[in-house]
């Protein structure tokens, strides 16, 4: 089966970067990131919550606030879907650089704990001057870096540590840094045990 024949669920496998979509987000920050950095954190955490729900279990997630204003969010899920195409190349579902087909333009999109509509991970990537996505799955581990949603590295193999899950480390310079007090009341996802830390 070729990549073009892969079934789309949350994102379109046929594309890798939608620059028009990313530019749309940057031109409408108040619409897509109301409340700023808090909303971006919740957009990321919503994905492991989805996965834990679909697996019928409680997931574990850690949100780390760094001194430079960047944030790392890790989880213990399966890792982002990564497949091998007809040429033998690993292809990661394009969650960072294309729209989430379920939510982005849906007026009935579910609300995140801040009371604003969910739009998808691409909102976080589009507004981050640097973002690193590390992805550990049973079939391999990879890392990739982005600048404002555009990949600036290949999908590079990473050493396996025997675990699965994802880590998203991002810095969104348009927004003021968060404190634990800003975040804590909103980390209320029903299928996750969330730990908040600082470094």
């Amino acid at each position: 089966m070729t990549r073009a024949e892969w079934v789309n669920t949350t994102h379109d496998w046929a594309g890798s970067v939608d620059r028009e979509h990313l530019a749309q987000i940057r031109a409408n920050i108040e619409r897509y990131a109301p409340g700023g950095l808090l909303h971006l954190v919740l957009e990321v955490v919503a994905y492991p919550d989805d996965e834990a729900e679909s697996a019928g279990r409680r997931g574990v997630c850690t949100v780390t606030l760094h001194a430079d204003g960047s944030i790392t969010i890790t989880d213990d899920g399966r890792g982002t879907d990564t497949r091998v195409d007809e040429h033998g190349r690993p292809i990661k579902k394009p969650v960072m650089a294309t729209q989430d087909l379920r939510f982005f333009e849906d007026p009935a999109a579910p609300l995140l704990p801040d009371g604003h509509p969910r739009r998808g991970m691409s909102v976080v990537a589009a507004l981050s001057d640097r973002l690193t996505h590390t992805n550990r799955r049973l079939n391999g581990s990879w890392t990739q870096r982005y600048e404002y949603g555009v990949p600036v590295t290949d999908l590079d193999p990473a050493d396996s540590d025997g675990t699965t899950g994802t880590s998203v480390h991002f810095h969104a310079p348009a927004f003021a840094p968060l404190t634990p007090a800003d975040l804590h009341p909103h980390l209320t996802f029903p299928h996750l045990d969330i730990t908040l830390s600082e470094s």
Side-chain angles (χ1 to χ4, degrees), residues 34 82 143:
T82 304
T143 188

Side-chain angles (χ1 to χ4, degrees), residues 29-40 42-43 46 103 106-120 123 186 189:
I29 294 176
E30 288 299 319
R31 178 180 181 188
Y32 296 117
L37 196 53
L38 169 63
H39 189 78
L40 300 189
L42 300 179
E43 289 279 15
F103 308 125
D106 184 358
L111 301 182
L112 292 171
D114 61 357
H116 297 295
R118 185 175 177 186
R119 302 296 185 182
V123 171
H186 301 281
F189 288 82

Side-chain angles (χ1 to χ4, degrees), residues 82 134-143 155-165:
T82 304
T134 302
N135 180 35
R136 302 185 186 283
R137 290 177 61 82
L138 293 177
N139 63 334
S141 299
W142 301 268
T143 188
L155 191 60
D156 295 326
D159 292 336
S160 176
D161 63 3
T163 66
T164 62

Side-chain angles (χ1 to χ4, degrees), residues 4 23-24 28 30 34 36 39 59 82 85 88 100 103 108 121 149:
Q24 176 184 353
N28 296 276
E30 288 299 319
H39 189 78
T82 304
D85 71 6
D100 191 311
F103 308 125
M121 190 80 79

Side-chain angles (χ1 to χ4, degrees), residues 57-155:
R57 67 178 186 89
R58 290 199 68 76
V60 175
C61 181
T62 300
V63 179
T64 304
L65 306 180
H66 301 288
D68 66 354
S70 66
I71 298 174
T72 301
I73 299 169
T74 61
D75 67 68
D76 68 342
R78 296 170 298 174
T80 304
D81 195 355
T82 304
R83 305 177 183 182
V84 177
D85 71 6
E86 64 271 26
H87 306 292
R89 300 173 300 196
I91 304 293
K92 181 180 66 182
K93 184 187 291 187
V95 297
M96 297 295 172
T98 67
Q99 68 175 280
D100 191 311
L101 302 173
R102 300 168 296 173
F103 308 125
F104 190 74
E105 295 294 358
D106 184 358
L111 301 182
L112 292 171
D114 61 357
H116 297 295
R118 185 175 177 186
R119 302 296 185 182
M121 190 80 79
S122 60
V123 171
V124 182
L127 298 176
S128 296
D129 62 348
R130 62 183 192 271
L131 183 152
T132 301
H133 183 197
T134 302
N135 180 35
R136 302 185 186 283
R137 290 177 61 82
L138 293 177
N139 63 334
S141 299
W142 301 268
T143 188
Q144 191 165 31
R145 290 192 300 108
Y146 299 79
E147 293 177 1
Y148 294 109
V150 178
V152 294
T153 67
D154 292 330
L155 191 60

